[in-house]
Amino acid sequence: MKQDRSLAATAAQAPVTDHLMASAYRGLAPLVRDLRSVDEALENLLRVGDADAEPAIRDLRRRLRAFEPSVTMIGQVKAGKTSLVNAMVGRPGLLPADINPWTSVITSLHVSPRIRESAQHAKFRFFSEEEWSNLLHRGGRVGELARRAGAENELETVRAQLEAMREKSRQRLGKSFELLLGQEHDYGYVDAELVERYVCLGDEVDHGHEPDHGQGRFADITKSADLFLAQRGLVWPLCVRDTPGVNDTFLVREQITVNAIRSSRVCVVVLSAHQALSTVDMALIRMIANIRARDVIIFVNRIDELADPAREIPEIRESIRATLKAQNGPVDAAILFGSAHWATKALAGEMHTLGKASSDALVNLAEHEARQGLIEANAEETIWALSGLPALGRAISERILDGEGRDMVEHLARAARNIAGGLVASRSLAAERMAGAETRTVAKDRLADAIAAIAQDAEAELTGQLDHLLASLDARLDSSRRTFLQRATASLVKHLEDKGEGQVWTYDPTGLRVLLRSGYQVFSAKATKASTEVYGRTATALEALFRGTFELPGGVFTLEAPPVPDTPAPVTLGQTIALDIKGNWWTRWWRRRRSYAAFAEEFSGMIDAEIAPMIAALRDDHARVFRTAAVDELRRFVAGQRITLMAMAGQTQERLDELRGKMAKDAELRETSLARAQELLSGLARTEQKEPERHDA
C-alpha cells in the first residue's frame, strides 16, 4: 500500500455556520438518543465485571461507534449535484463542480462531530491494473455492447477515445503511470486543491515539460476518494456519497453508481429545475425504479434560475410524477425543491452576492411561502430554509430513523438484552448455591454437544430453505428470460412480416426488468420469512437448553432472536442493456441484416448475452449475498449464547469459597449496574421483522 502523507496538516477552514447544519439534521436526534441509551447500557454491563461476557460487550460498543448511516447521490449532468453535496456537508467549494467527463470517481464524504479540524484526512484509491486493462482493451460495457451488436464504427470510436485518455494520463503521470495502478494515496489533511488533483478536469500538459502536481493530475486513474471531515453541526457521523453519474461514454460510472447505491439505504436523485425528469433520463429512472420508494428522495435543484418558482414548482412536480408513472418509476418517492446556490450563499454568509435574477426568484418564493405561514428569524435562515437543505436533511433523517438506524438500534439492543439476561441468570444461579440450595454440576462436554446439535440443525434447516429458494429464483429468472426473448422475437418477426426491413424496429425492455424484479422480490420476501422463523426456533431451543440445564425458574431468563439482515435492493436491474440504447448504432445493426431469419437469430443471441450478466448479478450479488449474511448472523447468535452457557457451566464447577469471593467483590455496584442496563434496554422498543417491500407488477 502506497503511503503519500503530507507533513503540512493544512486543514480545510472550519465552517462558521454550524447552527445551519444543525437545523438540517436535527431529525437524527431520536436515533442518537437511542444509540446513547444502548451505549450506556453496554457500559453498565461492562461494570458487572463478567470476563466471559466482556469481549461480546466490547464488540457491540465497537459496532455502535462505527455506525455511519450513508446517503448516495445520483443525478443528471449539470443538475448541480456536487454543489448540493458540498452544501449538505457544510463545505462550499470543497468538491470541484466542473468534473472531468472521463472521471469515474465515487467520492465518500465522512462527516462527523467527533473529528477534530486538525485530524481531517483523505484517502484516494486508483483503478487496479486489471480494471484499467479491461477498460482499455475491451472498451468497458459500451465496448461489450458494441461488439455483440457488431457496431464496428462505435467500437472504433470508443477505442480512439480510450487511446486519447491513456495518452493524456501518461503525459500527466510519466513513468509512474503503471506503478500507480492498484495503489492508494493517504493525506493528513483535506482541502479543495488536494481534491482537485484526484477527481476533476486538469489542464492540458505541455509536451516536453515534466508533469506537475497540479489540478487533475491523477483524475483519469482515480477510482474512489474518501474524505474525513469535521462537522460540529451534526449530532452523529454521516456518509454522503457523490457518484459520477450514470450516463458516461463507457458505462464505467454506471456500474460504480450501482455499487454505491447497493451499499446505501437512502438515495437522493438530483434533477435540474430546467430539465426536471424527461424521458431522456431513462438511465436514472431505471436505477431508482428498483429501490424501495420510501428510500428514494428526488431533489429538484437550481430553482434559483426559474423566473417564477412559486408558479413553476407545482408544474414541475406534476411533470415528474407523470413521467415516473409512465416509466414504471417510484411514484410515491418524496419530491423536494431547492437551490444549492442559495444554500452555498447562506453557509458562506454572502447573501448580498446572489445576483439580480437569483434574488428575484428568492423574493418570489419567499413571498409565496410567507403567505403560507413561513416566518424565519433573519435573512440567512430564510435563504437557508428556501434553499431546501433543511427539508432535504429532514427527509434523509426520517429515512435513516425508519431504516438503517432502526435496524442498528434493534440489533444492538437485542444482543445487549440477551447478554444482560445471561448475566442475570448466572448471578441467580450463583446466589442459589451460596444460599445452600443444591445445584447440579454441569458437564461442559455434554453441554457443548447439545449446543452443537442445535447449531447444526438450525444451520442445516436455514441453508436448506435458502438453497431451495435460490433454486426457485434461478428457475423463475430463467423462465423470465425465455418469456421475454420469445415475446421480443415474436414482435420482431411480426414487424418484419407487416412492415418489412425498411422501417427500424425497437423493443422496450421494461417488461423484462419487471419480470426479473418480481422474481427477486418473491425470493426476498420468502427468504426473510424463512430466516425469521429459523432464528426464532433457534432462540427457543437455546432458551429451553438454558432452562433445562440450569433448572432456571420461569421469568429469570428469556432469549431474543437476532434481526434478519436486509435483502439488497436489486439496483443492478437498472444497468443499460443493448435495447436501451437507441440511435445510429442500432439503425446500422438493423440495416446490416440480410434475411428475416438472420434478424431473429442474431437478435435473440445478442439480447440473451445482454440478459445473462444481469441475471447472474441478481443471483450472485444479491440473493447469494443475503444467504451468506443470514447464515453468518445465525452463527454469530449461536456462538454468543454458547459463550454464556459454557461460562455458566464452569460456574457450577467452581468451589463455593471462590464463588462467594467473586460475587462479594463490588456486589452492590454490579447489581446496580446490571439493573440500570436492563432499565435502559427495556425502554427501547422491540419491533417485528418487516418483510421486504413488494414491487410486483
Side-chain angles (χ1 to χ4, degrees):
M1 177 183 295
K2 178 170 181 172
Q3 300 294 320
D4 186 6
R5 297 192 177 275
S6 170
L7 296 178
T10 53
Q13 183 179 2
V16 295
T17 51
D18 293 336
H19 67 288
L20 295 182
M21 294 301 298
S23 71
Y25 297 104
R26 64 165 62 102
L28 288 173
L31 170 63
V32 176
R33 181 196 62 219
D34 286 348
L35 289 170
R36 286 175 177 165
S37 292
V38 174
D39 194 44
E40 185 183 345
L42 292 171
E43 186 177 4
N44 275 280
L45 290 178
L46 282 175
R47 292 196 187 107
V48 176
D50 189 287
D52 295 296
E54 183 176 334
I57 298 169
R58 293 196 181 281
D59 181 63
L60 290 177
R61 295 194 84 186
R62 280 192 294 270
R63 294 180 64 180
L64 187 152
R65 283 168 167 71
F67 176 55
E68 183 189 59
S70 61
V71 181
T72 294
M73 312 291 290
I74 65 174
Q76 297 170 319
V77 173
K78 301 301 182 183
K81 173 170 57 66
T82 299
S83 296
L84 178 63
V85 170
N86 286 336
M88 287 172 65
V89 300
R91 297 301 174 98
L94 177 62
L95 300 184
D98 185 20
I99 63 168
N100 183 347
W102 301 108
T103 300
S104 300
V105 183
I106 176 168
T107 306
S108 298
L109 295 96
H110 307 269
V111 286
S112 172
R114 302 172 188 159
I115 298 176
R116 301 187 308 275
E117 294 288 333
S118 60
Q120 296 181 129
H121 56 287
K123 182 187 294 290
F124 303 93
R125 294 181 179 86
F126 299 134
F127 283 105
S128 68
E129 186 172 357
E130 180 182 356
E131 291 167 329
W132 186 255
S133 297
N134 178 62
L135 180 62
L136 287 176
H137 299 127
R138 301 183 63 186
R141 284 268 302 142
V142 162
E144 294 174 14
L145 300 185
R147 192 173 290 104
R148 287 186 193 129
E152 287 83 3
N153 290 346
E154 279 66 26
L155 192 55
E156 198 54 45
T157 300
V158 167
R159 286 174 179 149
Q161 292 172 332
L162 284 164
E163 189 59 41
M165 182 172 70
R166 178 170 61 177
E167 183 57 31
K168 185 177 175 182
S169 296
R170 288 188 184 280
Q171 290 176 21
R172 289 187 190 284
L173 301 172
K175 297 177 181 178
S176 62
F177 173 69
E178 279 83 4
L179 296 176
L180 287 168
L181 295 176
Q183 302 298 311
E184 59 183 46
H185 284 182
D186 297 334
Y187 293 86
Y189 71 99
V190 182
D191 61 22
E193 182 181 353
L194 171 66
V195 175
E196 285 179 356
R197 292 187 210 168
Y198 290 85
V199 300
C200 79
L201 177 64
D203 298 327
E204 294 296 333
V205 179
D206 293 332
H207 293 281
H209 291 78
E210 190 70 21
D212 61 21
H213 294 269
Q215 187 185 43
R217 182 165 190 252
F218 304 102
D220 294 336
I221 63 171
T222 304
K223 180 179 182 180
S224 68
D226 287 271
L227 312 179
F228 299 85
L229 306 169
Q231 182 46 259
R232 293 172 299 186
L234 290 180
V235 291
W236 193 266
L238 180 69
C239 176
V240 180
R241 290 192 177 93
D242 185 21
T243 65
V246 295
N247 49 348
D248 66 298
T249 310
F250 312 119
L251 302 182
V252 174
R253 292 188 288 183
E254 179 183 81
Q255 186 58 51
I256 291 172
T257 299
V258 164
N259 293 336
I261 294 174
R262 199 159 54 211
S263 60
S264 293
R265 291 277 288 276
V266 182
C267 176
V268 177
V269 183
V270 186
L271 309 178
S272 168
H274 291 293
Q275 190 176 348
L277 191 60
S278 66
T279 53
V280 301
D281 293 305
M282 285 304 300
L284 275 177
I285 297 174
R286 286 196 306 267
M287 202 74 70
I288 63 177
N290 297 291
I291 308 171
R292 298 177 182 92
R294 65 174 180 266
D295 295 335
V296 176
I297 302 167
I298 296 175
F299 188 88
V300 183
N301 193 23
R302 301 179 69 173
I303 63 170
D304 57 289
E305 298 175 11
L306 297 176
D308 186 359
R311 176 184 58 81
E312 295 176 73
I313 284 174
E315 297 173 356
I316 296 170
R317 180 182 287 108
E318 289 306 309
S319 172
I320 293 172
R321 292 273 186 228
T323 301
L324 290 174
K325 184 176 182 180
Q327 302 299 333
N328 200 38
V331 293
D332 295 329
I335 303 178
L336 307 177
F337 290 79
S339 164
H341 179 62
W342 291 345
T344 298
K345 294 300 182 182
L347 286 167
E350 299 174 351
M351 287 75 71
H352 60 285
T353 64
L354 277 175
K356 186 178 186 307
S358 184
S359 295
D360 290 346
L362 182 66
V363 170
N364 171 281
L365 189 59
E367 291 177 346
H368 172 77
E369 294 294 324
R371 289 192 292 271
Q372 306 301 314
L374 174 71
I375 299 176
E376 293 294 340
N378 55 46
E380 178 188 77
E381 292 180 1
T382 297
I383 295 175
W384 181 245
L386 295 176
S387 76
L389 265 293
L392 179 58
R394 285 194 298 272
I396 290 171
S397 299
E398 288 169 3
R399 282 150 183 79
I400 291 173
L401 286 178
D402 187 49
E404 196 174 2
R406 178 205 65 206
D407 291 350
M408 176 56 68
V409 170
E410 182 68 11
H411 183 94
L412 294 171
R414 288 195 193 191
R417 283 193 290 263
N418 286 338
I419 291 173
L423 292 174
V424 169
S426 176
R427 297 181 73 79
S428 174
L429 188 66
E432 286 186 16
R433 280 193 67 195
M434 290 187 299
E438 288 190 16
T439 56
R440 63 183 178 184
T441 300
V442 176
K444 283 189 172 183
D445 54 349
R446 293 181 62 183
L447 180 59
D449 289 342
I451 299 169
I454 291 173
Q456 184 176 354
D457 290 347
E459 186 168 334
E461 182 182 4
L462 180 61
T463 55
Q465 290 199 46
L466 293 181
D467 286 343
H468 173 73
L469 291 172
L470 280 168
S472 297
L473 174 64
D474 279 340
R476 185 159 180 168
L477 295 179
D478 186 60
S479 175
S480 298
R481 176 189 64 82
R482 285 185 281 104
T483 297
F484 176 78
L485 282 174
Q486 289 168 1
R487 290 176 180 173
T489 306
S491 174
L492 169 61
V493 171
K494 188 174 189 310
H495 172 91
L496 291 168
E497 291 173 349
D498 293 347
K499 300 181 180 179
E501 302 173 25
Q503 183 174 334
V504 176
W505 169 85
T506 59
Y507 196 75
D508 185 0
T510 299
L512 169 66
R513 290 187 167 95
V514 170
L515 288 170
L516 296 177
R517 184 173 63 194
S518 175
Y520 177 74
Q521 292 295 342
V522 168
F523 166 83
S524 297
K526 291 184 176 180
T528 298
K529 182 180 179 183
S531 300
T532 301
E533 291 173 350
V534 172
Y535 286 7
R537 284 193 289 272
T538 306
T540 299
L542 287 169
E543 182 180 320
L545 184 61
F546 268 100
R547 292 182 184 281
T549 301
F550 301 107
E551 300 176 340
L552 298 173
V556 171
F557 180 79
T558 59
L559 193 59
E560 296 181 58
V564 174
D566 212 38
T567 51
V571 289
T572 190
L573 293 176
Q575 283 188 197
T576 300
I577 61 175
L579 286 175
D580 297 315
I581 303 176
K582 305 298 189 292
N584 294 335
W585 79 272
W586 180 260
T587 302
R588 283 195 287 271
W589 178 88
W590 176 264
R591 290 176 178 167
R592 273 201 308 276
R593 309 285 78 77
R594 291 292 178 265
S595 67
Y596 287 5
F599 270 110
E601 182 179 348
E602 293 187 27
F603 169 80
S604 181
M606 178 179 67
I607 301 306
D608 201 19
E610 286 287 289
I611 296 171
M614 189 180 291
I615 290 177
L618 270 182
R619 182 183 62 244
D620 299 333
D621 299 337
H622 294 73
R624 291 193 183 281
V625 163
F626 171 80
R627 179 195 185 279
T628 299
V631 173
D632 287 347
E633 185 59 46
L634 177 66
R635 289 172 178 169
R636 277 193 296 269
F637 173 65
V638 174
Q641 305 318 308
R642 183 183 189 281
I643 291 172
T644 302
L645 279 160
M646 297 304 289
M648 290 176 65
Q651 180 182 296
T652 67
Q653 299 175 4
E654 286 185 274
R655 295 203 317 267
L656 197 55
D657 59 335
E658 291 179 348
L659 186 60
R660 283 200 176 99
K662 186 168 67 174
M663 293 296 292
K665 184 179 180 182
D666 299 324
E668 185 175 350
L669 173 63
R670 296 185 185 204
E671 289 298 331
T672 302
S673 297
L674 185 52
R676 176 57 178 160
Q678 289 184 293
E679 178 187 0
L680 288 164
L681 294 169
S682 66
L684 297 171
R686 294 165 170 80
T687 59
E688 295 298 323
Q689 185 74 36
K690 293 185 177 180
E691 290 193 3
E693 182 176 316
R694 294 288 295 272
H695 293 272
D696 296 356

